Amino acid sequence: MDFLDKPPEGWDQLDIIGNILARLSFAGFWAFDNLFILAKLKIIRRNSESFKKPAQFFWWLGLLFNLILALRKISQLRKEHSELKKTIKYRFFP
């Protein structure tokens, strides 16, 4: 709740939503991975292989959301870098 009330400085709605989706995806992976382990140990009576694909999907989804967030951050940093270069060039080399 603290994270939603006061997000890190410089974050907008897309950053918050992307991070929440990535964390939910990894939570989905965690749940299906634990179900896989429980089925493998015969604690629950289900085929353990039926939990592999959903676990892999949620892992892939979490990585995809993190990749999108990283590419977005790189784009923001590239813009900031070009603005700083212009400022430095203007101030020191008029």
Side-chain angles (χ1 to χ4, degrees):
M1 293 304 288
D2 292 336
F3 176 76
L4 293 175
D5 288 337
K6 189 176 180 208
E9 189 175 322
W11 280 28
D12 59 1
Q13 286 297 112
L14 286 175
D15 290 324
I16 294 170
I17 291 169
N19 274 288
I20 289 171
L21 289 174
R23 291 170 194 233
L24 285 174
S25 298
F26 286 126
F29 164 75
W30 176 83
F32 280 103
D33 189 50
N34 282 321
L35 288 171
F36 171 78
I37 292 169
L38 292 173
K40 200 73 165 168
L41 294 173
K42 308 279 191 238
I43 294 174
I44 58 174
R45 293 183 179 161
R46 294 269 315 257
N47 182 10
S48 63
E49 296 299 313
S50 65
F51 297 115
K52 263 187 175 177
K53 287 209 187 261
Q56 291 171 347
F57 173 73
F58 279 112
W59 183 259
W60 174 81
L61 202 58
L63 292 177
L64 181 66
F65 285 127
N66 276 332
L67 177 64
I68 291 168
L69 289 171
L71 291 174
R72 191 164 183 272
K73 184 67 173 178
I74 288 172
S75 174
Q76 290 171 348
L77 290 173
R78 181 178 287 156
K79 287 178 189 173
E80 187 177 323
H81 180 258
S82 67
E83 290 172 9
L84 286 173
K85 280 175 86 174
K86 287 177 188 175
T87 304
I88 290 172
K89 186 176 182 181
Y90 177 73
R91 278 194 178 168
F92 297 111
F93 307 107

